[in-house]
Structures are given as structure tokens and as C-alpha cells.
Amino acid sequence: MAAEQAKVDPMHQFSIEPLFGTDHWSIAGYNIAFTNSALWMAITTVVLLVFVQGGLKRQLVPGRWQMAVEGFTGFIDNLLAANIGPAGKKYVPYIFSLFMFILFANLLGLLPLMLLGVHPFTPTSHFSVTGVLAILSFAIVLIVGFKRHGLHFFSLFVPHGTPLWLMWLIPFIELISFLVRPFSLALRLFVAMMAGHVLLEVLSSFVIGSVNSGPLWGSIVGVPSFILMVAICALELLVAGIQAYVFALLTSLYLNDAENLH
Amino acid sequence: MPQIAQLSETYASQIFWMLAFFGIIFFVVGRGMVPKVMATVEARDQQIAADLAAAEAARKAADEQEEAWRVQANAQRAEALAVIAAAKADAATASEARLVKAGSAIDARLAEADARIAKARTSALAEIDAVAADAASSIVSRLAGITVDAKAAGAAVKEALNG
């Protein structure tokens, strides 16, 4: 029984295991071993490449695949047009890459590949990964903002209609809320992905443990837990899409600040 | 929590591979493929817009032609009505003229016939006088045995007939 419980460790799925290059792959002294996390990023990249390549037939009357790819590009295009306006067109490649990478990484991490003996890994459940994306977005916002508006970009911290006697407080609050953005971006995605996976793992440990302790506990605890797992799997698919959408939406809103400044 | 427990040993690898693969995605998919996909969509939208515009223009042209045809048809109908009216008027005047002509001919023949009848009547009346005088003289000769000369008989008959 103790061995069973040790086996279902809900945190084990997040552990990073170096696959190769542990010893000598390094840049400036930093080890860059190819891990299972990197492997799943690579798989995500390949799947995304294949997916978009399949939509590149450029037919006048699109097939299903082309329709799906054009649906995604049109979705991102509309998102940017609605939030930034005509100036948002140039951010389509970045937001599309961001959205599709997060979406595909989330979905691939949910695949029941354990049935085939492969342990799926979700790179987006690590804040060291989501942090890179968040800092990338934040850096683009800063670069675009200062390039377009110069030091006038600081007026972002003074919203319209701020009374003079509040000038000592409001810019300070705005500055903090601005600086929190990369953290909220990174943590939101990482927490959402981790929570769902932990929940599924905990419920599956309920199912395994209760079934092992006999048919009575199996039917009282195991069956409801299993039904709940099925429902939560559906919820997780939804969350995978929503979190990718939220990341892309918030990035485009921040870009709107940099592009249009009030 | 492996995310924190393994952070110090894995963060370099995580950041490096994330940047590497996201770079591939951004440059190959985002900059390479997405513009092509969007260009395809754009081309399709433009084609649809152009087709719609062409259809609209064709519809307008058809409307104009129909309008022109209708104007022409109306003009032709008016012309035809005028021709019919003129023909009717012509026919009416012609038949009237013929009627007048025929009527005058009939009148002439009637007058001629009247004249002939009147002449026949006068000649018949003259003959009646002669026949009556003759008959009267022969009746007198048979009844009275007197021979009356024609002149006397004629005077007597005229007297009796005219009262």
C-alpha cells in the first residue's frame, strides 16, 4: 500500500529529467541539457509546423485543414484588430506564435499517452517556461512603447482625469500594476496548467487507492472520482484553450497601451 | 514542487530551449507561413469582393438595358397606336366619302326614277283621256246609235273626269 501511494505522486509529472547532454552541453557555464521539457517543446514545435504547413495549400476554395489554419490566423487577426486597430497587423506573427505554442503545448500535455507508455509533459506548467514568454511579451511592450512615444510613454502611469491632489498616489499604483504584468502573465498560465494536472493526478490516486482497498470503497469513492475525472478532463481542454487565449489577449492589450498610449 | 526544487539546476536549460523553439516557431511559422496563409485569405476576400462587384455591375447593366428596352417598347407601342389611329381615321373618311358618293348616286337614281314615274303617270293620264273618249264614243254609238265626233267626246270625258 505504501508503495502504491508513493507511485502516485501528483508532483512527479512536473519533474524535469535530463535526456542527454547533461555533462557537456553548456553555454557560458550554464548547463543546457536536453530534458523531457525540451523534448515536449520540440514535439509542440513539430506538431505546430505540420499543422500550419497543412494549411499552406493556398487553394481558393479551402479544404478542412486549410480552413482550420485560416480560422486560427483569422482569429488572431481579429483579436489584434479589435484591441489595437490597424496598427496591430504587424503583431500577428508574434501573437499567433505565442497563442499556438501555448495552446498546442497545453493540449499535447493533456494527451493520455501514458496508455502507450509515454509520459506526457506540459512545458507550460513550469514558470521558467511561461516566464520566458511573459518577459518576451513585456519586453516587446517596453521596446515598442519607448520607441514610439519616447519618454512620453511614462504618461501611461497617469490615467485621464486624474485629479491633481491624487498625483502623488495614482502614478505609483499604476506603476506597480504595470510592473506586475509579466508576473501575472507567467503565473496565471503556470498555475492554471499545474492545478489541472495535479487535480487529475490526485483524483486518479483516489481511484487507484480505493479500488485496491476493495469493491465497497471502490464503488463509493472510486466510481464518483472517475466520473469527476472525466468531467475535469473536459474542463482541462477548455482551460487549455482559455489560458492560451488569455495570454494572447492580455499581450495584445498591453501592446495596445504601447501602440496607442491611452 | 519540482518547478521550484529543480529551478537552480534546470532554469538555464528551460530558458535556452524555450527561446530556441519559440524562435523556430516565430521565424518559421509566424514570419514564414502565417503571412502566406493570411495573403491567401486576403486574395480570396478580394476575389469574392471583385466577383460581387462584377455581379452588381452586370445587374445594373441588365437593369439599364431593360429600362432602355422598356422605353423603346413604349415608344414603339405609341407609334403603333398612332398608325392604327391614322389608319382608322383614313378608313373612316374613305368609307364616309364612298357613302356620300353612293348616297348621291342613289339620290340621282331616285330622282330619275321619280321623274320617270311622273312622266309615265302624265302620259298614262293622257292616254286614259284618249281611251275614255274613245270608249265613251263607242258606248254612245252602241246605245244611242249616234256618231259623236272625237272632239266632242274628248271634251265630255275631260268634263266628267275633272268634275
Side-chain angles (χ1 to χ4, degrees), chain A residues 22 26 50 55 75 88 118 133 150 162 164 168 171 180 182-183 190-191 195-196 239 242 260:
Chain A
T22 319
S26 63
V50 170
F75 170 68
V118 184
L133 296 176
T162 310
L164 266 180
W168 59 276
V180 158
F183 298 98
F190 137 70
V191 165
V239 167
I242 285 176
N260 299 323

PDB file of all heavy atoms in Angstrom, chain A residues 22 26 50 55 75 88 118 133 150 162 164 168 171 180 182-183 190-191 195-196 239 242 260:
ATOM      1  N   THR A  22      23.676  16.214 -20.542  1.00  0.00           N
ATOM      2  CA  THR A  22      23.793  16.714 -19.179  1.00  0.00           C
ATOM      3  C   THR A  22      25.222  17.137 -18.849  1.00  0.00           C
ATOM      4  O   THR A  22      25.441  18.095 -18.132  1.00  0.00           O
ATOM      5  CB  THR A  22      23.364  15.610 -18.192  1.00  0.00           C
ATOM      6  OG1 THR A  22      22.230  14.973 -18.734  1.00  0.00           O
ATOM      7  CG2 THR A  22      23.030  16.196 -16.841  1.00  0.00           C
ATOM      8  N   SER A  26      26.770  23.146 -22.672  1.00  0.00           N
ATOM      9  CA  SER A  26      26.627  24.337 -21.835  1.00  0.00           C
ATOM     10  C   SER A  26      27.011  25.573 -22.626  1.00  0.00           C
ATOM     11  O   SER A  26      27.792  25.506 -23.591  1.00  0.00           O
ATOM     12  CB  SER A  26      27.477  24.222 -20.577  1.00  0.00           C
ATOM     13  OG  SER A  26      28.837  24.155 -20.937  1.00  0.00           O
ATOM     14  N   VAL A  50       3.732  21.135 -38.633  1.00  0.00           N
ATOM     15  CA  VAL A  50       2.960  20.268 -39.522  1.00  0.00           C
ATOM     16  C   VAL A  50       1.551  20.834 -39.705  1.00  0.00           C
ATOM     17  O   VAL A  50       1.023  20.885 -40.816  1.00  0.00           O
ATOM     18  CB  VAL A  50       2.895  18.839 -38.945  1.00  0.00           C
ATOM     19  CG1 VAL A  50       1.895  17.998 -39.710  1.00  0.00           C
ATOM     20  CG2 VAL A  50       4.264  18.198 -38.994  1.00  0.00           C
ATOM     21  N   GLY A  55      -1.962  23.810 -43.814  1.00  0.00           N
ATOM     22  CA  GLY A  55      -2.898  24.854 -44.241  1.00  0.00           C
ATOM     23  C   GLY A  55      -2.324  25.759 -45.296  1.00  0.00           C
ATOM     24  O   GLY A  55      -2.919  26.768 -45.637  1.00  0.00           O
ATOM     25  N   PHE A  75      -8.612  34.403 -36.450  1.00  0.00           N
ATOM     26  CA  PHE A  75      -8.954  34.658 -35.044  1.00  0.00           C
ATOM     27  C   PHE A  75      -7.951  35.632 -34.424  1.00  0.00           C
ATOM     28  O   PHE A  75      -8.326  36.630 -33.791  1.00  0.00           O
ATOM     29  CB  PHE A  75      -8.966  33.317 -34.309  1.00  0.00           C
ATOM     30  CG  PHE A  75      -9.055  33.417 -32.814  1.00  0.00           C
ATOM     31  CD1 PHE A  75     -10.208  33.886 -32.210  1.00  0.00           C
ATOM     32  CD2 PHE A  75      -7.992  33.038 -32.018  1.00  0.00           C
ATOM     33  CE1 PHE A  75     -10.290  33.964 -30.839  1.00  0.00           C
ATOM     34  CE2 PHE A  75      -8.070  33.116 -30.647  1.00  0.00           C
ATOM     35  CZ  PHE A  75      -9.230  33.583 -30.060  1.00  0.00           C
ATOM     36  N   GLY A  88      -2.224  46.897 -35.305  1.00  0.00           N
ATOM     37  CA  GLY A  88      -1.990  45.592 -34.699  1.00  0.00           C
ATOM     38  C   GLY A  88      -1.596  44.520 -35.683  1.00  0.00           C
ATOM     39  O   GLY A  88      -1.172  43.432 -35.291  1.00  0.00           O
ATOM     40  N   VAL A 118       4.223   6.368 -22.754  1.00  0.00           N
ATOM     41  CA  VAL A 118       4.974   7.613 -22.860  1.00  0.00           C
ATOM     42  C   VAL A 118       4.447   8.559 -21.795  1.00  0.00           C
ATOM     43  O   VAL A 118       3.242   8.676 -21.604  1.00  0.00           O
ATOM     44  CB  VAL A 118       4.786   8.250 -24.260  1.00  0.00           C
ATOM     45  CG1 VAL A 118       5.641   9.498 -24.390  1.00  0.00           C
ATOM     46  CG2 VAL A 118       5.120   7.250 -25.338  1.00  0.00           C
ATOM     47  N   LEU A 133       8.150  33.493 -21.914  1.00  0.00           N
ATOM     48  CA  LEU A 133       7.157  34.075 -22.816  1.00  0.00           C
ATOM     49  C   LEU A 133       6.655  35.409 -22.276  1.00  0.00           C
ATOM     50  O   LEU A 133       6.487  36.382 -23.019  1.00  0.00           O
ATOM     51  CB  LEU A 133       5.986  33.101 -22.998  1.00  0.00           C
ATOM     52  CG  LEU A 133       6.335  31.778 -23.671  1.00  0.00           C
ATOM     53  CD1 LEU A 133       5.127  30.866 -23.699  1.00  0.00           C
ATOM     54  CD2 LEU A 133       6.841  32.024 -25.072  1.00  0.00           C
ATOM     55  N   GLY A 150       8.783  57.570 -26.847  1.00  0.00           N
ATOM     56  CA  GLY A 150       9.894  58.126 -26.083  1.00  0.00           C
ATOM     57  C   GLY A 150       9.555  58.177 -24.606  1.00  0.00           C
ATOM     58  O   GLY A 150       8.847  57.313 -24.087  1.00  0.00           O
ATOM     59  N   THR A 162      -7.110  62.174 -13.896  1.00  0.00           N
ATOM     60  CA  THR A 162      -6.589  62.037 -12.532  1.00  0.00           C
ATOM     61  C   THR A 162      -6.582  63.417 -11.861  1.00  0.00           C
ATOM     62  O   THR A 162      -6.008  64.355 -12.409  1.00  0.00           O
ATOM     63  CB  THR A 162      -5.148  61.508 -12.563  1.00  0.00           C
ATOM     64  OG1 THR A 162      -5.117  60.361 -13.404  1.00  0.00           O
ATOM     65  CG2 THR A 162      -4.685  61.132 -11.173  1.00  0.00           C
ATOM     66  N   LEU A 164      -5.467  66.468  -9.527  1.00  0.00           N
ATOM     67  CA  LEU A 164      -4.092  66.874  -9.193  1.00  0.00           C
ATOM     68  C   LEU A 164      -3.689  66.425  -7.791  1.00  0.00           C
ATOM     69  O   LEU A 164      -2.542  66.039  -7.563  1.00  0.00           O
ATOM     70  CB  LEU A 164      -3.969  68.403  -9.294  1.00  0.00           C
ATOM     71  CG  LEU A 164      -3.475  68.909 -10.655  1.00  0.00           C
ATOM     72  CD1 LEU A 164      -3.386  70.419 -10.656  1.00  0.00           C
ATOM     73  CD2 LEU A 164      -2.135  68.280 -11.003  1.00  0.00           C
ATOM     74  N   TRP A 168       0.233  62.181  -6.340  1.00  0.00           N
ATOM     75  CA  TRP A 168       1.289  61.515  -5.577  1.00  0.00           C
ATOM     76  C   TRP A 168       1.018  60.018  -5.436  1.00  0.00           C
ATOM     77  O   TRP A 168       1.918  59.253  -5.150  1.00  0.00           O
ATOM     78  CB  TRP A 168       1.396  62.143  -4.184  1.00  0.00           C
ATOM     79  CG  TRP A 168       0.099  62.034  -3.408  1.00  0.00           C
ATOM     80  CD1 TRP A 168      -0.951  62.877  -3.483  1.00  0.00           C
ATOM     81  CD2 TRP A 168      -0.253  61.016  -2.484  1.00  0.00           C
ATOM     82  NE1 TRP A 168      -1.961  62.461  -2.667  1.00  0.00           N
ATOM     83  CE2 TRP A 168      -1.556  61.304  -2.028  1.00  0.00           C
ATOM     84  CE3 TRP A 168       0.393  59.875  -1.978  1.00  0.00           C
ATOM     85  CZ2 TRP A 168      -2.222  60.502  -1.118  1.00  0.00           C
ATOM     86  CZ3 TRP A 168      -0.283  59.093  -1.065  1.00  0.00           C
ATOM     87  CH2 TRP A 168      -1.586  59.401  -0.636  1.00  0.00           C
ATOM     88  N   PRO A 171      -0.001  57.527 -10.001  1.00  0.00           N
ATOM     89  CA  PRO A 171       1.097  57.003 -10.831  1.00  0.00           C
ATOM     90  C   PRO A 171       1.847  55.877 -10.154  1.00  0.00           C
ATOM     91  O   PRO A 171       2.282  54.926 -10.819  1.00  0.00           O
ATOM     92  CB  PRO A 171       2.007  58.228 -11.023  1.00  0.00           C
ATOM     93  CG  PRO A 171       1.113  59.379 -10.829  1.00  0.00           C
ATOM     94  CD  PRO A 171       0.121  58.974  -9.788  1.00  0.00           C
ATOM     95  N   VAL A 180       3.720  44.492 -12.471  1.00  0.00           N
ATOM     96  CA  VAL A 180       3.245  43.161 -12.078  1.00  0.00           C
ATOM     97  C   VAL A 180       2.844  42.334 -13.296  1.00  0.00           C
ATOM     98  O   VAL A 180       2.794  41.113 -13.232  1.00  0.00           O
ATOM     99  CB  VAL A 180       2.070  43.321 -11.075  1.00  0.00           C
ATOM    100  CG1 VAL A 180       1.199  42.100 -11.038  1.00  0.00           C
ATOM    101  CG2 VAL A 180       2.615  43.622  -9.691  1.00  0.00           C
ATOM    102  N   PRO A 182       4.200  41.097 -16.142  1.00  0.00           N
ATOM    103  CA  PRO A 182       4.873  39.853 -16.569  1.00  0.00           C
ATOM    104  C   PRO A 182       4.681  38.723 -15.570  1.00  0.00           C
ATOM    105  O   PRO A 182       4.508  37.569 -15.974  1.00  0.00           O
ATOM    106  CB  PRO A 182       6.341  40.257 -16.688  1.00  0.00           C
ATOM    107  CG  PRO A 182       6.463  41.509 -15.915  1.00  0.00           C
ATOM    108  CD  PRO A 182       5.147  42.202 -16.010  1.00  0.00           C
ATOM    109  N   PHE A 183       4.630  39.078 -14.291  1.00  0.00           N
ATOM    110  CA  PHE A 183       4.435  38.023 -13.286  1.00  0.00           C
ATOM    111  C   PHE A 183       3.035  37.437 -13.385  1.00  0.00           C
ATOM    112  O   PHE A 183       2.843  36.228 -13.334  1.00  0.00           O
ATOM    113  CB  PHE A 183       4.682  38.596 -11.876  1.00  0.00           C
ATOM    114  CG  PHE A 183       6.078  39.086 -11.687  1.00  0.00           C
ATOM    115  CD1 PHE A 183       6.387  40.420 -11.821  1.00  0.00           C
ATOM    116  CD2 PHE A 183       7.109  38.192 -11.423  1.00  0.00           C
ATOM    117  CE1 PHE A 183       7.679  40.868 -11.668  1.00  0.00           C
ATOM    118  CE2 PHE A 183       8.405  38.630 -11.268  1.00  0.00           C
ATOM    119  CZ  PHE A 183       8.689  39.980 -11.400  1.00  0.00           C
ATOM    120  N   PHE A 190       1.004  29.199 -15.669  1.00  0.00           N
ATOM    121  CA  PHE A 190       1.684  28.085 -14.985  1.00  0.00           C
ATOM    122  C   PHE A 190       0.774  27.484 -13.911  1.00  0.00           C
ATOM    123  O   PHE A 190       0.622  26.261 -13.814  1.00  0.00           O
ATOM    124  CB  PHE A 190       3.017  28.617 -14.423  1.00  0.00           C
ATOM    125  CG  PHE A 190       3.376  28.173 -13.037  1.00  0.00           C
ATOM    126  CD1 PHE A 190       3.741  26.863 -12.786  1.00  0.00           C
ATOM    127  CD2 PHE A 190       3.353  29.070 -11.979  1.00  0.00           C
ATOM    128  CE1 PHE A 190       4.084  26.456 -11.510  1.00  0.00           C
ATOM    129  CE2 PHE A 190       3.692  28.668 -10.709  1.00  0.00           C
ATOM    130  CZ  PHE A 190       4.046  27.357 -10.466  1.00  0.00           C
ATOM    131  N   VAL A 191       0.103  28.347 -13.137  1.00  0.00           N
ATOM    132  CA  VAL A 191      -0.764  27.842 -12.064  1.00  0.00           C
ATOM    133  C   VAL A 191      -1.962  27.110 -12.640  1.00  0.00           C
ATOM    134  O   VAL A 191      -2.335  26.029 -12.163  1.00  0.00           O
ATOM    135  CB  VAL A 191      -1.211  29.015 -11.157  1.00  0.00           C
ATOM    136  CG1 VAL A 191      -2.368  28.586 -10.287  1.00  0.00           C
ATOM    137  CG2 VAL A 191      -0.048  29.471 -10.311  1.00  0.00           C
ATOM    138  N   ALA A 195      -2.440  23.269 -11.731  1.00  0.00           N
ATOM    139  CA  ALA A 195      -3.575  22.903 -10.887  1.00  0.00           C
ATOM    140  C   ALA A 195      -4.408  21.808 -11.542  1.00  0.00           C
ATOM    141  O   ALA A 195      -4.799  20.829 -10.890  1.00  0.00           O
ATOM    142  CB  ALA A 195      -4.439  24.141 -10.638  1.00  0.00           C
ATOM    143  N   GLY A 196      -4.661  21.951 -12.840  1.00  0.00           N
ATOM    144  CA  GLY A 196      -5.477  20.952 -13.518  1.00  0.00           C
ATOM    145  C   GLY A 196      -4.817  19.584 -13.500  1.00  0.00           C
ATOM    146  O   GLY A 196      -5.453  18.562 -13.214  1.00  0.00           O
ATOM    147  N   VAL A 239      -9.790  24.785 -20.377  1.00  0.00           N
ATOM    148  CA  VAL A 239      -8.799  25.655 -19.731  1.00  0.00           C
ATOM    149  C   VAL A 239      -7.574  25.822 -20.625  1.00  0.00           C
ATOM    150  O   VAL A 239      -7.005  26.911 -20.727  1.00  0.00           O
ATOM    151  CB  VAL A 239      -8.413  25.076 -18.355  1.00  0.00           C
ATOM    152  CG1 VAL A 239      -7.179  25.780 -17.812  1.00  0.00           C
ATOM    153  CG2 VAL A 239      -9.560  25.234 -17.377  1.00  0.00           C
ATOM    154  N   ILE A 242      -8.533  28.380 -23.056  1.00  0.00           N
ATOM    155  CA  ILE A 242      -8.788  29.688 -22.450  1.00  0.00           C
ATOM    156  C   ILE A 242      -7.485  30.338 -22.009  1.00  0.00           C
ATOM    157  O   ILE A 242      -7.284  31.541 -22.200  1.00  0.00           O
ATOM    158  CB  ILE A 242      -9.760  29.534 -21.256  1.00  0.00           C
ATOM    159  CG1 ILE A 242     -11.166  29.307 -21.774  1.00  0.00           C
ATOM    160  CG2 ILE A 242      -9.725  30.771 -20.376  1.00  0.00           C
ATOM    161  CD1 ILE A 242     -12.167  29.050 -20.689  1.00  0.00           C
ATOM    162  N   ASN A 260      -0.881  52.688 -28.700  1.00  0.00           N
ATOM    163  CA  ASN A 260      -1.809  53.824 -28.776  1.00  0.00           C
ATOM    164  C   ASN A 260      -1.764  54.735 -27.563  1.00  0.00           C
ATOM    165  O   ASN A 260      -2.279  55.853 -27.638  1.00  0.00           O
ATOM    166  CB  ASN A 260      -3.234  53.311 -28.987  1.00  0.00           C
ATOM    167  CG  ASN A 260      -3.362  52.540 -30.281  1.00  0.00           C
ATOM    168  OD1 ASN A 260      -2.748  52.905 -31.269  1.00  0.00           O
ATOM    169  ND2 ASN A 260      -4.137  51.471 -30.273  1.00  0.00           N
TER     170      ASN A 260
END
